[in-house]
């Protein structure tokens, strides 16, 4: 049954309850790898709730239908499938250490039987009531969670191969052949080596990949045992920044304008107020759509399963679910970190690629972005309807995330000199979003990038970055002409964050400011 909640009910969770929840779980306010929410008031969470309430529009939340345990188990099946068949991890290690964002440990403990079918590249998980949740490798689309009772997704798999020469004989960054020339004299390479070692200390950080580039050149990297520079790893919400990049590519091609009204078909009815939502508002996490997230200041878990997770685990058409939401706030007034916004952006990407360019949607990222940057090991994953779930379902290698970061360091220009992102887009991505500034949180920019204005990392405030749950980060540091990519296994995220911060401190000493 679908449950409706009035907007007043949805904010009944008190500031004290939220603060207690944070005390129990320090990451509860850091959904999807986001930094802790802060504001200028003495009680920041209460201030955020009060401001949101004062601006809220009439309406009601629609709680996702279905059993939360079944949803979480669908997420677990997908996580196991991806980590085993894409990353090559041992199933027991993956079950204990990866992907807790959409499938927490307590829900995993309810699984009575776990089957990893290597021959057919499938995972099946059984719950106490006999429900089986499954996921499978589906062509080049990685792993897909299946609806209950289904054995295949609702679309045909597409095989996508990079149109690139052999990486081993192609110079970096378009390949993996590194130059034999000396490193720049003004870079302290001993200190860089110290920073790389710090990223893996302590062992409990479970850092899986650490890559550092300076002026586009790879100056440091390291991987956990069994992982190398080609291994796709769980990346979570770094995929949001990839979503923003794909939209930037379409804007550069003339398919969209950043500040046009978002042409979502479900919003085109006469008098629909959602027509005021611009593409640029959506990619600032400022659409105002009514979409519950565990990281919301007023989130109350007793009010039902959150939309933010449902678009991962519900095995529904995620685009339709997000597009069906009404407005909680006017656009560009309140900043909230919610998967509605990257899902809607991915919806627009599909509409633009298929409807206006007339191209193959599933091949578009590789052909129009990855092939331009030398990316061979980044796998976008989908819902059962073939819609990319790039709000967080994608696996990529450390080097490939560094390549994407360097596109931004180079102002949207590819290694061959082609402009992939429109002029001004990098500035948009790295500039604090007005609605977030109004909330007193100097944390979020445009294009689904975080900004470092609140000093989340020990690097200059001009840095901006991609962030994913479990300690996934790609940080662009223009002042030092540097990109740093760190990926790790989810259960090590706490120590991993500390290790990354120490590594960044050392890198700031090793590389001079521009």
């Amino acid at each position: 049954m679908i449950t409706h909640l009035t907007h007043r009910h949805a904010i009944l969770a008190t500031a004290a309850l939220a603060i207690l929840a944070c005390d129990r779980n320090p990451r509860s306010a850091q959904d999807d790898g986001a930094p802790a929410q802060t504001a200028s008031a003495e009680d920041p969470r209460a201030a955020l709730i009060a401001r949101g309430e004062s601006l809220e529009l009439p309406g009601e939340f629609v709680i996702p239908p279905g059993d939360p345990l079944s949803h979480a188990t669908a997420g677990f099946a997908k996580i196991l499938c991806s980590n085993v068949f894409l990353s090559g991890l041992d199933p027991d290690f993956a079950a204990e250490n990866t992907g807790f964002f959409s499938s927490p440990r307590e829900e995993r403990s309810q699984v009575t039987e776990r089957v990893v079918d290597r021959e057919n590249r499938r995972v099946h998980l059984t719950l106490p009531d006999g429900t089986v949740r499954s996921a499978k490798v589906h062509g080049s689309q990685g792993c897909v969670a299946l609806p209950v009772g289904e054995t295949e997704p609702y679309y045909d798999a597409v095989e996508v191969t990079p149109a690139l020469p052999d990486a081993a004989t192609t110079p970096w960054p378009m390949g993996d052949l590194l130059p034999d020339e000396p490193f720049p004299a003004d870079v302290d390479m001993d200190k860089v080596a110290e920073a790389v070692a710090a990223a893996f200390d302590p062992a409990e950080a479970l850092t899986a990949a650490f890559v550092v580039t300076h002026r586009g050149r790879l100056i440091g990297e390291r991987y956990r045992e069994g992982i190398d520079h080609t291994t796709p790893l769980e990346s979570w919400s770094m995929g949001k920044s990839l979503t923003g990049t794909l939209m930037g590519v379409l804007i550069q091609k003339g398919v969209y304008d950043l500040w046009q009204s978002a042409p979502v078909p479900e919003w085109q009815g006469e008098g629909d107020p959602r027509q005021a939502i611009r593409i640029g508002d959506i990619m600032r996490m400022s659409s105002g759509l009514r979409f519950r997230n565990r990281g919301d200041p007023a989130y109350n878990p007793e009010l039902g399963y959150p939309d933010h997770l449902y678009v991962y685990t519900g095995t529904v058409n995620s685009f339709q679910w997000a597009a069906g939401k009404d407005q909680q706030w006017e656009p560009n007034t309140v900043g909230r970190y919610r998967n509605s916004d990257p899902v809607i952006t991915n919806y627009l990407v599909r509409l633009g690629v298929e409807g206006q360019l007339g191209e193959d949607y599933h091949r578009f990222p590789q052909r129009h972005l990855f092939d331009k940057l030398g990316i061979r090991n980044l796998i976008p994953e989908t819902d059962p309807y073939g819609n990319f779930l790039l709000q967080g379902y994608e696996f990529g290698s450390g080097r490939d995330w560094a390549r994407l970061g360097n596109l931004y360091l180079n102002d949207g220009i590819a290694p061959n000199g082609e402009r992939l992102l429109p002029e001004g887009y990098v500035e948009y991505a790295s500039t604090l979003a007005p609605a977030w500034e109004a909330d007193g949180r100097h944390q979020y920019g445009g294009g689904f990038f975080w900004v470092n204005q609140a000093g989340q990392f020990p690097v200059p405030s001009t840095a901006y970055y991609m962030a994913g749950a479990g300690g996934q980060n790609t940080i662009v540091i223009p002042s030092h002409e540097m990109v740093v990519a760190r990926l790790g296994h989810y259960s090590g995220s706490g120590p991993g964050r500390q290790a990354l911060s120490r590594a960044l401190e050392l890198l700031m000493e090793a590389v001079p400011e521009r």
Side-chain angles (χ1 to χ4, degrees), residues 145-156:
L146 301 173
V148 173
E150 298 290 345
T151 60
E152 296 291 336
Y154 302 130
Y155 74 103
D156 293 333

Side-chain angles (χ1 to χ4, degrees), residues 171-236:
W172 170 270
M174 294 306 294
D176 292 324
L177 182 63
L178 302 181
D180 210 10
E181 59 195 46
F183 288 103
D186 58 350
V187 175
D188 185 338
M189 292 304 299
D190 290 336
K191 188 74 72 172
V192 170
E194 190 180 347
V196 172
F200 288 79
D201 184 27
E204 291 76 21
L206 293 181
T207 300
F210 190 71
V211 179
V212 184
T213 70
H214 175 244
R215 297 177 181 168
R217 181 176 179 183
L218 201 154
I219 62 170
E221 67 177 335
R222 180 177 161 184
Y223 302 91
R224 270 177 60 83
E225 184 178 356
I227 291 169
D228 64 21
H229 63 276
T230 67
T231 304
L233 296 164
E234 63 176 338
S235 307
W236 289 102

Side-chain angles (χ1 to χ4, degrees), residues 188 190-199 201 210 212 452 455-460 463 475 477 479-480 482 484 496-513:
D188 185 338
D190 290 336
K191 188 74 72 172
V192 170
E194 190 180 347
V196 172
D201 184 27
F210 190 71
V212 184
N452 198 49
Q456 298 94 315
F457 290 109
V459 296
I475 306 168
I477 312 171
S479 60
H480 290 67
M482 186 184 299
V484 179
R497 174 76 179 212
Q498 296 172 7
L500 174 58
S501 291
R502 177 58 181 152
L504 290 170
E505 290 173 351
L506 291 166
L507 287 171
M508 292 301 95
E509 298 174 11
V511 177
E513 284 195 58

Side-chain angles (χ1 to χ4, degrees), residues 351-368:
L351 292 170
V353 169
E354 294 181 340
Q356 297 195 48
L357 296 182
E359 298 204 18
D360 187 295
Y361 169 67
H362 295 105
R363 291 186 171 89
F364 183 81
Q366 187 67 51
R367 292 292 171 264
H368 291 269

